């Protein structure tokens, strides 16, 4: 039995859930999202307390693992359409700047050229103070993917801590050369 899969998912009042055969359609104040669910393995029902319950039809080892994962994906989608997901990136280094030009993020990262990143559909980026980038979306996976792609342009180096990092990320610093 999956401990996480047994937990009901609380659906906020302003979020609507529609269960069709193999599909789960969620709409909320931040947007809408559609999830596909294997209806041969799992059944999704809405209880009278406005809770979503994911039940496993077949009970074996692999379906127990997928049960908790499926419940987590549905829970993240409910949170996404209700409140949205956000990650905050910080640029640290002399001359490191970020600017938005339409749907292109322009980064100055200490190279001889500017680095451009085309923002995918469904993601909203906001640049604050030229060194803080806020990434918002309904889809949690897409927010993480965009954040990791932007971080890969200039990963944080361990000696001075320069680069792009997620707010609150701990950087293991190394000691420099000794004389």
């Amino acid at each position: 039995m999956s401990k996480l899969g047994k937990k009901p998912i609380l659906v906020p009042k302003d979020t609507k859930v529609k269960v069709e055969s193999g599909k789960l359609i969620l709409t909320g104040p931040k947007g809408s999202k559609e999830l596909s669910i294997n209806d041969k393995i799992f059944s999704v029902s809405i209880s009278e307390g406005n809770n979503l319950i994911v039940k496993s039809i077949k009970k074996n080892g692999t379906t127990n693992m997928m049960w908790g994962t499926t419940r987590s994906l549905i829970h993240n989608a409910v949170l996404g359409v209700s409140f949205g997901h956000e990650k905050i990136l910080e640029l640290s280094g002399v001359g490191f700047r970020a600017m938005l030009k339409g749907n292109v993020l322009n980064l100055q990262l200490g190279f001889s050229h500017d680095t451009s990143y085309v923002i995918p559909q469904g993601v909203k980026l906001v640049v604050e103070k030229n060194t803080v980038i806020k990434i918002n979306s309904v889809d949690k996976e897409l927010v993480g993917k965009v954040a990791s792609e932007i971080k890969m342009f200039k990963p944080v180096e361990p000696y001075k801590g320069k680069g792009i990092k997620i707010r609150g990320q701990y950087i293991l610093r190394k000691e420099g050369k000794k004389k």
Side-chain angles (χ1 to χ4, degrees):
M1 289 293 276
S2 172
K3 291 181 183 179
L4 189 62
K6 287 190 280 187
K7 282 183 167 182
I9 301 167
L10 181 68
V11 179
K13 293 177 183 171
D14 53 354
T15 304
K16 292 178 179 62
V17 179
K18 188 176 179 186
V19 180
E20 292 179 358
S21 62
K23 288 191 179 181
L24 189 68
I25 300 166
L26 304 159
T27 53
K30 296 287 183 178
S32 63
K33 185 163 170 88
E34 185 176 309
L35 292 172
S36 60
I37 296 166
N38 191 345
D39 54 351
K40 295 175 185 166
I41 301 174
F42 304 111
S43 67
V44 179
S45 60
I46 302 169
S47 68
E48 62 276 346
N50 208 17
N51 290 331
L52 263 175
I53 299 168
V54 181
K55 291 184 181 176
S56 178
I57 296 170
K58 298 179 182 177
K59 303 219 184 226
N60 60 29
T62 56
T63 56
N64 276 342
M65 288 186 283
M66 291 183 348
W67 187 17
T69 304
T70 305
R71 188 247 177 225
S72 292
L73 291 173
I74 295 170
H75 180 68
N76 286 335
V78 168
L79 289 178
V81 297
S82 302
F83 309 110
H85 295 287
E86 179 181 68
K87 283 201 180 195
I88 300 172
L89 298 178
E90 296 175 339
L91 281 73
S92 56
V94 178
F96 285 18
R97 278 185 228 104
M99 292 184 302
L100 268 175
K101 294 179 182 173
N103 68 336
V104 176
L105 178 68
N106 191 357
L107 299 165
Q108 294 177 348
L109 300 171
F111 301 126
S112 61
H113 58 282
D114 290 355
T115 307
S116 297
Y117 178 74
V118 178
I119 302 165
Q121 288 238 285
V123 177
K124 183 182 172 209
L125 262 106
V126 178
V127 177
E128 295 178 352
K129 296 189 256 177
N130 291 333
T131 58
V132 177
I133 304 168
K134 288 188 176 182
I135 305 166
N136 293 307
S137 179
V138 174
D139 192 1
K140 187 175 184 178
E141 181 183 358
L142 191 58
V143 169
K145 180 178 176 256
V146 169
S148 68
E149 286 175 352
I150 293 173
K151 275 176 54 177
M152 290 309 295
F153 287 127
K154 188 75 171 183
V156 180
E157 53 98 11
Y159 294 101
K160 289 187 179 179
K162 293 165 64 174
I164 304 173
K165 67 174 185 139
I166 294 178
R167 182 172 280 171
Q169 176 184 351
Y170 180 75
I171 294 121
L172 188 64
R173 300 288 296 269
K174 290 184 180 177
E175 189 177 349
K177 269 201 299 194
K178 296 179 186 176
K179 287 190 177 184

